[in-house]
Amino acid sequence: MTTFSIRPECPADKDAIYAINVAAFPEDDEARLVNTLRDQATEIISLVAEQEGRIVGHLLLSPASLDAAPQLKLMGLAPMAVLPEFQSQGVGSKLVEAGLKCCADAGVSAVIVLGHPEYYPRFGFVPSITYGIKGEYDVPAEVFMIKELIPQSLHNLSGTVSYHPAFASL
Ligand SMILES: CC(C)(COP(=O)(O)OP(=O)(O)OC[C@H]1O[C@@H](n2cnc3c(N)ncnc32)[C@H](O)[C@@H]1OP(=O)(O)O)[C@@H](O)C(=O)NCCC(=O)NCCS
């Protein structure tokens, strides 16, 4: 069984994080997005999965916003990447769980994700349209999901939620 630990990124991890995103995604767009968000976004949460000193997975969360409630504290989960040879061993799940805990500890109301509808519901994500909330992208409703961390914080809200402006480069 693979054992690994999850911890916040440190400056020395930057190149390894870039390489993981290049390895996991078809292009280098996500790798470059991580660097941009690190430079531009305040209050990012950036976690790495480490096994025997090697970084094998990475997860970033950055501030998002709901047009109808700009004061609401939201985070967008993206990108997440695990080295192909370490996928399907639970690394991604541990990263998501740790990321959600960091958000909860930081007083975040809810987390959004645009991703695989077979994957994220296991962490409590539901289609955001359940709350009358839409994403800024024209995608099928089931792939744009949200998880409420502070109970009732999405009650009676609707509108369109947007990721950090750096995502426009994707
Ligand atoms: C998605 C990703 C981060 C998951 O990490 P992981 O360590 O493999 O995840 P876990 O081991 O915790 O979970 C594996 C589960 O994810 C599912 N999964 C992985 N990629 C998937 C995909 N593209 N579509 C649907 N499900 C996927 C697997 O089927 C598996 O499901 P199971 O537990 O029912 O067998 C990893 O596969 C990855 O880096 N993929 C390429 C980049 C990517 O797509 N990032 C996510 C963008 S939203």
Side-chain angles (χ1 to χ4, degrees):
M1 173 141 184
T2 310
T3 56
F4 48 86
S5 56
I6 308 292
R7 62 165 175 79
E9 76 159 53
C10 64
D13 300 327
K14 194 174 164 186
D15 290 348
I17 289 170
Y18 190 92
I20 287 169
N21 280 277
V22 168
F25 289 99
E27 309 285 343
D28 67 354
D29 298 345
E30 286 78 5
R32 289 189 288 110
L33 174 64
V34 169
N35 284 348
T36 305
L37 285 166
R38 198 187 279 117
D39 290 342
Q40 293 184 1
T42 54
E43 298 187 59
I44 62 167
I45 294 169
S46 181
L47 301 175
V48 296
E50 189 175 48
Q51 188 192 44
E52 294 171 0
R54 183 180 180 194
I55 310 286
V56 300
H58 173 249
L59 169 65
L60 195 73
L61 294 118
S62 57
S65 57
L66 180 65
D67 55 1
Q71 78 289 352
L72 192 70
K73 198 166 175 184
L74 297 175
M75 294 289 269
L77 188 162
M80 175 163 71
V82 173
L83 284 177
E85 62 269 36
F86 287 88
Q87 291 178 9
S88 292
Q89 297 172 39
V91 176
S93 296
K94 291 288 185 205
L95 282 166
V96 173
E97 287 161 5
L100 291 173
K101 181 171 187 318
C102 288
C103 288
D105 291 347
V108 171
S109 293
V111 175
I112 57 166
V113 68
L114 195 169
H116 312 306
E118 309 84 13
Y119 187 60
Y120 290 99
R122 68 186 69 179
F123 308 106
F125 285 89
V126 298
S128 67
I129 202 67
T130 309
Y131 293 98
I133 292 172
K134 290 191 279 191
E136 62 188 310
Y137 304 112
D138 185 19
V139 293
E142 69 270 20
V143 308
F144 194 77
M145 293 166 269
I146 196 162
K147 178 179 168 69
E148 204 177 47
L149 295 177
I150 297 180
Q152 299 298 314
S153 56
L154 301 177
H155 186 64
N156 280 340
L157 289 179
S158 59
T160 302
V161 69
S162 302
Y163 282 90
H164 186 277
F167 279 81
S169 68
L170 269 186

